Amino acid sequence: MRGFEWTEPDTITGALDAAGGQAAFLAGGTTLIDLMKLQVMRPSRVVGINRLPLTGIRVDAKGLHIGALTRMSDVAEHPEVAHAYPVIAQALLLSASQQLRNMASMGGNLLQRTRCTYFRDIAEPCDKRDPGSGCAAVGGFNRAHAVLGTSPHCSATHASDVAVALVALGATVDLRDASGTRTVDLDSFYRLPGGTPHIENALRPGELITRISVPRLPWARNSAYLKIRDRQSYEFALASAAVALQVRGRRIEDARVAVGGVATVPWRLPGVEAALRGRPPGLRTFEHATADAADGARPLTHNAFKIPLLRRTLVRALMSLEP
Amino acid sequence: MSPEPERPPRPARVSRRGFIGRTTAASLGAGALPRPDQATAAAAAAAAAGAPGQPLPGPPGTEVTLRVNGAEHRVGVDNRATLLDTLRERLRITGPKKGCDRGQCGACTVHIDGRTALSCLTLAVAAHEREVTTVEGLADGDVPHPVQRAFIKADAFQCGFCTPGQIMSAVALVEHGPVGSDDAIREFMSGNLCRCAAYPHIVRAVRQAGSTGRKR
Ligand SMILES: Cc1cc2nc3c(=O)[nH]c(=O)nc-3n(C[C@H](O)[C@H](O)[C@H](O)COP(=O)(O)OP(=O)(O)OC[C@H]3O[C@@H](n4cnc5c(N)ncnc54)[C@H](O)[C@@H]3O)c2cc1C
Ligand code: FES
Ligand code: FES
């Protein structure tokens, strides 16, 4: 690990003042400290933000609001979250381990870096870590890599589970810097790799995520998260699905669908949502509506299995909901 | 998880750049007394970098107060030092073990402010003035914690390297209980890997401790 200066301000303005340049915010540290040890991240200053007043969960007429420093375990175990938005609680409980969920913040979760082994190894070329160096995953071991939203420069998956649930529900994030606060759709917050895989999202240098908001959606009570992985627990997704259905009188009025583990960003599927609307819930509808879910997929040498897996994961997740 | 404890993982492919990067990280990352093997590695790295005998510039450090098992320690630490290395190398509290140093194995599990956390991914500076409990802080004098007794009774370990971390997770589950089904125990404990695969006995120990009352 490289040496760095340490500060731990009590106020948001103090944190914003200390940020910028080569500084990094430290919340739970479960991404940052890991990657600093690997020298993938090399901040010259680390600004601890755990003393900032950015924790808490609130449900009001507009929806659900989560302070960026609220821990994953606190959100997962919150009774109102589990009741009103099961897809969020389930995505969190299926993430990482109890220790990590106790440490990790919701804001940090959205900003976690990919688990691509080549990104994590500074001896390997990686356009995301070291722009212009190339991509070792092409022609390397790429079984875990993305098939959707990829480019010749990067096929690394975005590894967050809860981001998939949040994107499906149309969540927004509040971003704050010295010039004020702006609210951004989480879906458009994430950037496809294209030719600039090192730019992963819309966050400006020194900007803080202060809050995550999920719009009120009473029918999100009928939602679920399904995660398929190589072992039963404590593993990242090979494919995952976040789904919610509004059903009235055997007819799907509305649907929310997003997938994870298969794409370079949390991947909403508006085409599948549209194909579900107006149909009766059931296996035939779900198979029909998800037929083109992997449209545009570009498999590498070892990950073509993710194309049928993604569709099966979606169908199984939809089948688990109330008809 | 590395098959041999206490040793940094070997890179699969060693390039010169990778070697220097890694050995420097291994020898300086601790911010603690370098062990002899690390001192040698540091010298090798310095020589390879073309700076033989040059003292490395002093890394930024901070004075912190660590509250561990009810005792307060004032220590000056390298900002890079993890809580794990600081506990082990500076305070000689060696219950928390270094299995992977990457947040993947759970051997370093401690409680911070009453909840399980990985001390290898926690900076000592970030633990300033927070309540830390290690396996050494569980017993009531000479009387082991019920979870410790259950681990002995159920023969829930073989080499014992993962055991302090397993026990810290089990205590969190039992004290905040109910422990639930065997599957629920396995899920809660999934962040604690055991190379000896003592899992069936660990689950039995947690189940027993959970049913014989939560408190001491
Ligand atoms: C072994 C292991 C297994 C895991 N398994 C899973 C899994 O199955 N599913 C899953 O979803 N995740 C998983 N994770 C990832 C984990 O959830 C993330 O590391 C964690 O959520 C990051 O949060 P943090 O608070 O620790 O972030 P930090 O490490 O503190 O920060 C991460 C990044 O975000 C920045 N940052 C943090 N907070 C803010 C803020 N409020 N504003 C602006 N910038 C900020 C930091 O500067 C840093 O760049 C796993 C991690 C590990 C180590
Ligand atoms: S040493 Fe393996 S998780 Fe900390
Ligand atoms: S690692 Fe040997 S007892 Fe668990």
Side-chain angles (χ1 to χ4, degrees):
Chain A
M1 203 188 292
R2 305 277 175 94
F4 57 86
E5 284 166 36
W6 167 253
T7 60
E8 196 171 26
D10 297 321
T11 62
I12 293 174
T13 44
L16 294 175
D17 285 347
Q22 293 301 303
F25 293 123
L26 176 82
T30 61
T31 288
L32 185 64
I33 301 304
D34 186 25
L35 292 178
M36 283 171 66
K37 287 183 185 185
L38 295 169
Q39 302 214 29
V40 170
M41 293 176 85
R42 292 183 295 249
S44 59
R45 187 183 320 130
V46 175
V47 182
I49 55 175
N50 289 316
R51 290 172 201 265
L52 306 187
L54 293 175
T55 52
I57 302 166
R58 191 162 53 83
V59 183
D60 64 17
K62 285 183 159 174
L64 168 69
H65 309 280
I66 303 168
L69 290 172
T70 315
R71 268 39 203 181
M72 288 169 72
S73 53
D74 291 320
V75 181
E77 287 155 25
H78 194 273
E80 276 187 274
V81 174
H83 175 72
Y85 303 95
V87 64
I88 295 178
Q90 290 169 18
L92 287 167
L93 286 172
L94 293 169
S95 298
S97 65
Q98 186 67 36
Q99 295 98 312
L100 286 158
R101 294 192 295 272
N102 286 343
M103 299 170 76
S105 66
M106 291 294 290
N109 184 293
L110 300 181
L111 297 174
Q112 66 175 283
R113 310 297 300 274
T114 183
R115 303 299 292 193
C116 170
T117 46
Y118 303 111
F119 171 76
R120 290 169 59 83
D121 182 348
I122 59 167
E124 294 285 351
C126 170
D127 278 339
K128 185 188 273 303
R129 173 175 29 76
D130 191 5
S133 62
C135 173
V138 178
F141 290 103
N142 47 44
R143 177 174 174 273
H145 284 71
V147 292
L148 290 165
T150 61
S151 81
H153 296 279
C154 190
S155 303
T157 57
H158 193 279
S160 168
D161 289 295
V162 76
V164 179
L166 291 170
V167 160
L169 297 173
T172 58
V173 281
D174 286 359
L175 310 177
R176 178 158 164 190
D177 67 8
S179 65
T181 300
R182 60 192 179 119
T183 302
V184 176
D185 276 338
L186 187 59
D187 200 12
S188 55
F189 176 75
Y190 290 114
R191 297 284 153 88
L192 289 174
T196 53
H198 59 291
I199 301 171
E200 298 181 350
N201 55 55
L203 201 69
R204 298 178 187 138
E207 204 172 23
L208 259 181
I209 300 184
T210 53
R211 190 167 79 152
I212 301 164
S213 296
V214 186
R216 200 176 103 86
L217 199 69
W219 53 272
R221 231 168 278 160
N222 191 25
S223 65
Y225 189 77
L226 177 66
K227 182 173 179 182
I228 305 298
R229 40 191 168 174
D230 279 331
R231 57 182 177 198
Q232 213 175 349
S233 180
Y234 194 27
E235 185 53 278
F236 291 93
L238 287 172
S240 69
V243 294
L245 282 186
Q246 183 185 29
V247 186
R248 208 171 292 152
R250 297 284 305 150
R251 183 173 176 275
I252 298 170
E253 301 267 308
D254 207 350
R256 294 298 173 79
V257 179
V259 285
V262 292
T264 52
V265 294
W267 196 260
R268 185 145 173 203
L269 288 164
V272 174
E273 294 174 3
L276 287 166
R277 280 187 211 112
R279 303 247 164 188
L283 187 60
R284 280 196 39 203
T285 294
F286 299 154
E287 288 195 326
H288 178 77
T290 56
D292 300 329
D295 252 15
R298 268 187 301 243
L300 299 167
T301 5
H302 308 121
N303 64 356
F305 74 96
K306 286 196 175 188
I307 294 171
L309 182 64
L310 133 71
R311 190 170 161 219
R312 287 189 198 131
T313 308
L314 273 172
V315 171
R316 212 175 107 193
L318 288 163
M319 287 298 288
S320 75
L321 297 178
E322 280 166 37
Chain B
M1 190 173 153
S2 110
E4 277 168 274
E6 308 278 20
R7 211 189 273 179
R10 270 183 39 184
R13 252 178 54 190
V14 183
S15 71
R16 195 177 116 105
R17 184 167 143 228
F19 172 74
I20 295 168
R22 277 175 240 260
T23 47
T24 313
S27 56
L28 301 180
L33 307 170
R35 295 195 306 266
D37 56 326
Q38 292 180 332
T40 316
Q54 284 298 305
L56 292 157
T62 306
E63 280 269 306
V64 294
T65 301
L66 295 178
R67 302 208 170 103
V68 189
N69 301 328
E72 211 171 277
H73 306 267
R74 187 101 192 136
V75 268
V77 295
D78 183 325
N79 289 345
R80 294 169 296 182
T82 60
L83 177 60
L84 175 63
D85 285 328
T86 307
L87 289 170
R88 291 182 56 84
E89 313 278 337
R90 300 289 301 280
L91 305 183
R92 301 286 166 195
I93 297 170
T94 53
K97 297 285 181 278
K98 188 186 283 191
C100 66
D101 211 22
R102 291 282 176 272
Q104 298 177 1
C105 75
C108 66
T109 302
V110 298
H111 293 186
I112 300 180
D113 294 337
R115 310 214 293 188
T116 55
L118 301 173
S119 58
C120 73
L121 289 186
T122 304
L123 291 179
V125 289
H128 175 59
E129 291 186 338
R130 299 176 72 186
E131 270 337 304
V132 178
T133 307
T134 70
V135 73
E136 287 92 340
L138 292 179
D140 185 4
D142 282 344
V143 183
H145 188 281
V147 171
Q148 293 176 303
R149 289 205 295 271
F151 266 66
I152 294 166
K153 197 156 160 242
D155 198 13
F157 43 84
Q158 290 178 41
C159 78
F161 193 78
C162 71
T163 313
Q166 301 279 1
I167 288 177
M168 295 314 286
S169 281
V171 166
L173 179 57
V174 168
E175 289 190 348
H176 300 122
V179 300
S181 65
D182 285 4
D183 276 347
I185 294 172
R186 278 190 278 268
E187 177 59 41
F188 188 93
M189 304 278 296
S190 70
N192 291 88
L193 306 189
C194 175
R195 291 189 330 263
C196 303
Y199 298 112
H201 291 204
I202 293 171
V203 171
R204 194 193 303 160
V206 178
R207 200 198 307 131
Q208 279 171 7
S211 64
T212 54
R214 301 181 194 166
K215 300 282 162 209
R216 297 147 196 252

